[in-house]
Amino acid sequence: MRDLPPISQSAEHFQRLGLHEEEETPTEPNGRLKSSSGTSSLPCSIYFPPTGSPTVPPRRNHAGLDPQFLPLRKQIVSQVSLESPLSPASLPRSPWGRPDPYDSPEDQDKEYVGFATLPNQVHRKTVKKGFTFTVMVAGESGLGKSTLINSLFLTDLYKERKVPNAEERIGQTVDIVKHMIGIEEKGIKLRLTIIDTPGFGDAVNNIKSWKHIEDYIDQQFEQFFRDESGLNRKNIQDNRVHCLLYFVSPFGHGLRPLDVECMKALHEKVNIIPLLAKADSLTQAEILKKKMKIREDIRQFGVNIYQFPDCDSDEDEDLKTQEQFLKDSIPFAVIGSNIQVESKGRKFRGRSYPWGVVEVENPVHSDFLLLRNMLVRTHMQDLKDVTREIHYENYRAQCIQNMTRMMVLERKRRWVEMKAEVETPTTKEISLSDLRKMQEVLERIQEQIQQGQ
Ligand code: GDP
């Protein structure tokens, strides 16, 4: 049996319904229900089809339910409906721990086909598979990229980092460093990949310093394209870059030429999210001014950064306001810190100065929380969708176009070669005709000899 919910939850579920496992159902030492046939052990939380469903011959449902447990369900339902009105928290759960859309007392006498459980099925499958997300960071060194990544994902990814000195940086090229971490929260697994680009913008000559970044993004698309077109498409690893956090210096006036060139080279390949680094070094008024200038530069130079999706007109007003707020906050003014500071009896990630402390997660101090919520809670799926549907599709279409063009060229070349072969007699043909002539000469000589005799 696959992917069963933890037993503790199931037990809790039964207790909520006023049932005691040991009284109602025989269990094995591992906490699972004893199967009468002895072939399968069942979890306590089982999906029961609604009583009003069309009658079908008794058979195990997909959760492995024996028909003998159906009376138990009736008992549960009657207890629920008679004794306790269902609050959302006490709603019965499907085998994978999601509220079952048919398990409410008012639904019991209705007939259903059952497709309202589709979201549950999708949820169960995706949770089992786990999630992946790849973030790339770029910006000149010292802007707080590593510190922000550590703060965002509560990790310490850069313990062994060696910062090169000025001499080493003169001719430095951009490196691509990949960090992978597995995070698990409430049973949901996330494989997070951080792609760091040390050395970007550090050399004396930064012309084309984004080329390595561009190549890396392309390579991931290429790999995915190969895997997708290959024979074994089952376990494809998706390493495509879903978003690029681009750090803009707080000390300049808007975007630098390098920022513009780099963003323009990459904006068709990746979702760019610009960040105003080290926001604690600016006053509130300066932050607003710099944000406006950066937005103006982005517009003026035709840089396509990640566009937050528009809300539908029938969407919730709160959601519309939130989305608008997000759009107006670009570039997010961020602060990072690797340490916890204590102030007024509270401990938090922050930076301590002689004149006070800044809290990384305080929305009054920075957009850090806005960025993290956007990245993780609200727009992670959209970033992946845009990567798949727009950036990867562009790459794929271009690949197919190039392949078709190459095939046409190759066919043309072969056709020209064949035509030339037909028009020019080959060595083989020349020697054959020569042979024929020689044979004729020989025959004539033989005739003359015979006549002479
Ligand atoms: P990276 O080279 O871009 O990865 O930058 P680091 O994360 O190594 O940070 C460089 C320096 O800036 C370190 O001394 C950090 O403590 C400091 N730093 C990082 N984030 C911030 C921030 O938000 N504000 C300020 N004032 N300093 C920061």
Side-chain angles (χ1 to χ4, degrees):
M1 199 137 50
R2 296 180 298 156
D3 211 14
L4 298 171
I7 197 69
S8 58
Q9 179 201 324
S10 309
E12 184 192 325
H13 159 70
F14 268 62
Q15 276 160 9
R16 259 195 268 127
L17 294 171
L19 281 174
H20 295 288
E21 265 180 274
E22 59 277 13
E23 286 167 21
E24 300 293 334
T25 53
T27 51
E28 286 174 349
N30 63 4
R32 290 171 180 231
L33 287 175
K34 264 190 188 142
S35 156
S36 62
S37 63
T39 48
S40 70
S41 54
L42 294 165
C44 297
S45 174
I46 299 162
Y47 171 72
F48 298 93
T51 46
S53 297
T55 38
V56 286
R59 54 190 277 254
R60 273 168 196 276
N61 65 14
H62 72 282
L65 172 65
D66 272 338
Q68 61 162 325
F69 288 109
L70 287 172
L72 177 64
R73 176 190 198 268
K74 287 209 182 106
Q75 201 179 341
I76 295 167
V77 169
S78 65
Q79 282 207 12
V80 167
S81 47
L82 289 175
E83 289 165 16
S84 59
L86 284 179
S87 69
S90 65
L91 269 175
R93 308 246 144 189
S94 63
W96 40 92
R98 307 258 304 161
D100 196 306
Y102 299 111
D103 253 334
S104 67
E106 59 274 17
D107 283 344
Q108 300 313 311
D109 300 325
K110 294 184 193 145
E111 278 192 307
Y112 291 105
V113 174
F115 51 78
T117 57
L118 274 174
N120 290 2
Q121 297 173 35
V122 174
H123 176 268
R124 175 174 166 266
K125 273 202 124 176
T126 37
V127 165
K128 192 180 169 204
K129 248 173 89 181
F131 297 82
T132 58
F133 191 60
T134 303
V135 185
M136 187 177 233
V137 283
E140 70 186 84
S141 76
L143 283 185
K145 299 186 293 296
S146 341
T147 313
L148 189 84
I149 289 295
N150 283 342
S151 316
L152 276 176
F153 300 106
L154 306 178
T155 54
D156 192 4
L157 282 183
Y158 300 86
K159 270 178 280 182
E160 279 138 40
R161 184 170 73 144
K162 184 181 166 279
V163 180
N165 61 31
E167 197 187 345
E168 286 165 334
R169 276 189 283 173
I170 290 174
Q172 192 178 358
T173 51
V174 180
D175 275 341
I176 301 285
V177 182
K178 200 169 164 178
H179 304 271
M180 270 164 54
I181 35 169
I183 309 177
E184 189 168 341
E185 242 179 46
K186 300 195 178 200
I188 310 287
K189 291 187 197 112
L190 173 71
R191 186 174 62 96
L192 180 73
T193 309
I194 310 287
I195 312 291
D196 202 357
T197 57
F200 174 78
D202 285 356
V204 173
N205 181 355
N206 283 307
I207 290 181
K208 295 259 175 192
S209 62
W210 57 87
K211 191 80 184 87
H212 278 78
I213 301 178
E214 191 181 356
D215 287 348
Y216 180 83
I217 297 173
D218 279 343
Q219 277 163 17
Q220 308 317 306
F221 281 152
E222 188 188 328
Q223 188 59 49
F224 194 83
F225 183 60
R226 276 175 200 275
D227 291 349
E228 217 186 23
S229 332
L231 280 178
N232 184 8
R233 291 153 38 103
K234 235 181 167 184
N235 298 316
I236 297 181
Q237 267 224 346
D238 184 3
N239 289 319
R240 293 172 293 185
V241 182
H242 300 121
C243 96
L244 168 68
L245 298 180
Y246 192 94
F247 286 66
V248 179
S249 166
F251 312 118
H253 300 283
L255 297 181
R256 293 171 308 159
L258 177 65
D259 299 331
V260 176
E261 287 300 311
C262 175
M263 286 196 199
K264 282 183 83 170
L266 304 176
H267 66 182
E268 303 283 314
K269 298 171 189 276
V270 66
N271 295 310
I272 299 177
I273 300 172
L275 306 180
L276 182 57
K278 296 190 173 178
D280 57 325
S281 56
L282 302 168
T283 65
Q284 207 62 26
E286 282 168 336
I287 289 179
L288 288 179
K289 219 169 127 193
K290 292 216 186 246
K291 279 190 173 195
M292 264 169 56
K293 178 78 175 87
I294 291 170
R295 283 202 295 265
E296 198 183 301
D297 287 349
I298 285 173
R299 240 190 332 271
Q300 189 189 342
F301 294 110
V303 178
N304 300 326
I305 56 167
Y306 169 65
Q307 293 296 316
F308 293 104
D310 287 327
C311 288
D312 291 335
S313 53
D314 60 343
E315 216 113 44
D316 190 53
E317 280 307 314
D318 275 357
L319 191 75
K320 284 185 192 166
T321 321
Q322 274 175 27
E323 288 287 310
Q324 194 51 48
F325 186 64
L326 263 182
K327 288 178 189 174
D328 295 342
S329 303
I330 287 282
F332 298 114
V334 289
I335 299 172
S337 167
N338 281 332
I339 52 161
Q340 298 250 325
V341 294
E342 204 169 347
S343 168
K344 295 179 187 159
R346 271 194 322 121
K347 260 188 159 185
F348 47 83
R349 246 178 214 252
R351 307 186 69 83
S352 179
Y353 296 104
W355 53 87
V357 286
V358 280
E359 290 177 50
V360 167
E361 295 191 17
N362 186 336
V364 178
H365 296 179
S366 85
D367 297 332
F368 174 87
L369 217 52
L370 207 58
L371 170 71
R372 183 158 77 188
N373 283 346
M374 185 284 270
L375 268 186
V376 182
R377 293 188 177 205
T378 54
H379 289 73
M380 185 182 275
Q381 195 51 47
D382 189 61
L383 286 161
K384 293 175 80 169
D385 290 346
V386 175
T387 304
R388 193 186 64 240
E389 290 163 15
I390 299 180
H391 301 307
Y392 176 65
E393 272 311 299
N394 281 344
Y395 174 86
R396 199 171 149 272
Q398 228 170 21
C399 259
I400 294 174
Q401 235 175 32
N402 288 346
M403 276 158 61
T404 318
R405 202 176 304 135
M406 271 164 61
M407 267 163 61
V408 171
L409 281 178
E410 178 63 16
R411 226 177 277 159
K412 264 191 189 162
R413 193 184 61 79
R414 291 231 309 263
W415 190 79
V416 169
E417 270 179 19
M418 271 164 60
K419 208 165 151 237
E421 270 179 28
V422 171
E423 283 168 3
T424 339
T426 61
T427 352
K428 211 171 162 190
E429 276 170 338
I430 291 169
S431 57
L432 270 175
S433 62
D434 283 353
L435 266 175
R436 238 175 267 129
K437 274 185 205 153
M438 280 164 66
Q439 206 172 354
E440 278 169 18
V441 174
L442 266 173
E443 279 168 4
R444 245 180 279 135
I445 295 172
Q446 262 179 346
E447 265 172 38
Q448 283 170 5
I449 294 172
Q450 277 169 3
Q451 280 167 9
Q453 282 173 351

